[in-house]
Amino acid sequence: MKISLSGITGDSIVDGPGIRLTIFTQGCPHHCPGCHNPQTHDPNGGSWAETEDIVNAMAENPLLDGITLSGGDPFMQPKECTELAKGAHRCGLNVWTYTGYTWEALFEENDPGKIALVQESDVLIDGPFIMAERSLELQFRGSRNQRIIDVKKSLQAGEIVLWEEYKLDLPEGPTTFGGI
């Protein structure tokens, strides 16, 4: 299946926890002022790739913790992005999806393709980028209005459950390294 992309970044550490393959889809209807990826807005820009080739690249990288679907807006190509998410899950990877849509708007629209992409995501970062809410101190998002949603827990609870901040399991008490 072909997908229109702006680009792919391997080994990203800023688009979710761990090492990620970040896939920047082409096409975005939101046109948020201050967007850091304005080159992704034009649905006729970018280049074409095969989803199967991207899934194969995921499978060949043993360092990956997950993939991130970004953009543009992945919900402009929900079928293709769902295919990538399923491929990531087959590889044992988690899936983070960024969108300018809100959780509520995606479900109100009731588009089966978009709902399938939500359901195949592990974490959804929702909402448009708002320049007045911008902060460089936020983890994995650009503006304070955006939410980091734990999709599986939210679907199970029937309400939005925010993702718990990524934490490393470190031993309690002082730790020495290399005999120091």
Side-chain angles (χ1 to χ4, degrees):
M1 174 181 307
K2 289 198 177 292
I3 184 170
S4 180
L5 300 178
S6 176
I8 296 178
T9 300
D11 302 335
S12 171
I13 58 170
V14 298
D15 300 308
I19 298 174
R20 313 192 68 74
L21 179 73
T22 302
I23 301 155
F24 295 94
T25 61
Q26 188 67 36
C28 183
H30 310 293
H31 304 279
C32 302
C35 174
H36 70 280
N37 291 332
Q39 73 281 4
T40 67
H41 294 180
D42 181 2
N44 298 313
S47 59
W48 292 96
E50 289 288 338
T51 56
E52 183 178 343
D53 293 340
I54 299 168
V55 171
N56 289 339
M58 292 175 208
E60 292 172 5
N61 187 341
L63 301 177
L64 290 179
D65 294 296
I67 69 164
T68 298
L69 300 170
S70 190
D73 195 307
F75 287 90
M76 296 297 295
Q77 300 180 74
K79 183 176 180 183
E80 296 83 353
C81 288
T82 299
E83 188 70 24
L84 292 174
K86 287 179 178 180
H89 284 140
R90 284 193 304 271
C91 293
L93 303 173
N94 63 67
V95 177
W96 282 44
T97 304
Y98 282 79
T99 182
Y101 295 102
T102 63
W103 173 276
E104 295 84 357
L106 288 167
F107 282 95
E108 285 171 15
E109 187 177 340
N110 202 27
D111 177 312
K114 290 179 180 178
I115 303 267
L117 178 53
V118 171
Q119 292 171 331
E120 201 62 42
S121 300
D122 296 297
V123 172
L124 182 77
I125 296 85
D126 80 332
F129 172 76
I130 298 176
M131 184 61 92
E133 296 286 322
R134 178 179 180 248
S135 174
L136 298 177
E137 297 173 1
L138 298 171
Q139 186 180 35
F140 307 130
R141 56 197 173 117
S143 58
R144 283 182 170 76
N145 63 295
Q146 296 170 315
R147 300 173 292 188
I148 303 177
I149 300 170
D150 185 317
V151 173
K152 305 306 180 213
K153 288 182 180 177
S154 296
L155 292 172
Q156 188 175 41
E159 63 183 14
I160 292 175
V161 176
L162 297 180
W163 177 74
E164 293 183 25
E165 187 171 338
Y166 181 63
K167 296 180 180 120
L168 295 174
D169 291 328
L170 297 175
E172 291 186 27
T175 304
T176 60
F177 296 97
I180 299 174

